[in-house]
Amino acid sequence: FWDFLILFFCLPVVIFNEITKKRLLGDVSCRILPFMEVSSLGVTTFSLCALGIDRFHAATSPQASARPIEQCQSIIAKLAVIWVGSMTLSVPEILLWQLAQDTSPVSGIVTEYCTMKPSSNLPESVYSLVLTYQNARMWWYFGCYFCLPILFTVSCQLVTRRISGTEKKTECRGTKHSQCESHLNCTIIGLTIIYGLCTTPENVCNIVVAYMSPDMSKQTLDLLNLINQFFLFFKCSVTPVLLLCLCRPLGQAFMDCCCCCCESCSPDTASSEGSADSKLKTEMSSSIFFDKPRESPPPLLALGTPC
């Protein structure tokens, strides 16, 4: 959902700015766009960490098949912590950026762009904190939004594989359950690879700009910033598709939601059969990232027999 917000709000503003050299929504977009983009990195980072912890718990549980499915309230609470934490860590971006104007010496056209410069109207204590954040921003990006999710995911996967290898022959690890765990682990690894590939150029550019910015022209800096933004848009476009393709229960649930309108337009008999079929699929795929499989459903009775 956050990837959708990035594509829906940020991508049109960036394209409009590149075409017209005017900033859509002015100073507001200069502050909101970096806030949303950094929040997107935080949501992805902490989500990968949470999924890594869940896979670790699935591997270290003494009776994984007997673990109860996590309640919806618990999942919503975790998502709220991830979202609120990510947006809180991104608040300095709102105070760091502001709109600036520049006149082209060749064409004389006035262009608008966003510059990383805290406003002097801020209170002195807040201004000093924002300056500290600006000076440490490069390494904060690199450590929290790049190294943390990758190292955390790799560590959890190594520990999980080691524990799964030592308990490979135990009775509590059924064949179907082991395949489900392996499939979910591959999903998390795929998401981490996509995230690492799409955030590497931005971190490299940040380090290069931090040490070589006096020797680089404004056009080069703008081009690097544009490349970083489109890598972020590419990540936001690929991640949902990759998640739906790799995680079969989630993909099946998504297809069922997309086809619900067609099922509602079908005759009553077909809708009743479709609703029963979709209910069975929902029960079997209700746990997407949690390791306990549903108990095997009772054998289906023939149509027309009493329940």
Side-chain angles (χ1 to χ4, degrees), residues 222-289:
D222 293 339
L223 179 60
L224 292 177
N225 185 42
L226 183 64
I227 292 174
N228 295 336
Q229 285 184 318
F230 274 98
F231 266 107
L232 177 63
F233 297 147
F234 177 75
K235 189 268 295 182
C236 294
S237 304
V238 172
T239 299
V241 177
L242 180 67
L243 186 61
L244 292 176
C245 293
L246 292 182
C247 191
R248 295 175 185 175
L250 183 61
Q252 185 61 48
F254 181 77
M255 294 303 298
D256 291 342
C257 291
C258 293
C259 298
C260 65
C261 295
C262 298
E263 292 179 359
S264 63
C265 297
S266 61
D268 295 339
T269 56
S271 63
S272 61
E273 294 176 3
S275 61
D277 205 15
S278 61
K279 181 179 180 182
L280 178 61
K281 291 179 180 178
T282 304
E283 289 181 353
M284 296 179 64
S285 63
S286 61
S287 178
I288 296 174
F289 275 110

Side-chain angles (χ1 to χ4, degrees), residues 8 12 18 32 41-42 48 70 74 81-82 85 91 127 146 149 152 160 162 164-165 173 180 191 240 296:
F8 187 80
E18 289 301 315
I32 296 299
L41 298 179
L48 290 175
E70 189 167 0
S74 176
V81 170
I82 290 173
V91 168
Y127 184 79
F146 182 76
F152 202 95
T160 301
R162 183 176 182 85
S164 300
R173 295 292 193 269
C180 179
L191 295 175
S296 58

Side-chain angles (χ1 to χ4, degrees), residues 78-154:
K78 291 181 180 179
L79 292 177
V81 170
I82 290 173
W83 278 44
V84 173
S86 302
M87 290 187 290
T88 302
L89 293 176
S90 306
V91 168
E93 296 287 333
I94 300 178
L95 305 176
L96 183 62
W97 296 84
Q98 60 178 332
L99 184 68
Q101 294 181 346
D102 188 19
T103 304
S104 175
V106 179
S107 60
I109 300 176
V110 178
T111 60
E112 297 179 345
Y113 63 95
C114 297
T115 180
M116 193 184 300
K117 183 180 179 181
S119 175
S120 57
N121 297 327
L122 295 173
E124 184 177 355
S125 57
V126 178
Y127 184 79
S128 61
L129 289 176
V130 175
L131 281 181
T132 304
Y133 174 81
Q134 180 181 1
N135 295 329
R137 186 174 183 270
M138 176 192 65
W139 295 113
W140 170 252
Y141 252 68
F142 182 73
C144 182
Y145 298 132
F146 182 76
C147 295
L148 178 62
I150 293 178
L151 294 179
F152 202 95
T153 303
V154 171

Side-chain angles (χ1 to χ4, degrees), residues 1-13 33 36-37 39-41 43-44 83 232-241 243-244 254:
F1 181 73
W2 196 274
D3 291 336
F4 168 77
L5 293 180
I6 292 293
L7 295 176
F8 187 80
F9 289 104
C10 299
L11 182 59
V13 174
L33 259 67
M36 294 185 63
E37 291 173 355
S39 297
S40 172
L41 298 179
V43 168
T44 307
W83 278 44
L232 177 63
F233 297 147
F234 177 75
K235 189 268 295 182
C236 294
S237 304
V238 172
T239 299
V241 177
L243 186 61
L244 292 176
F254 181 77

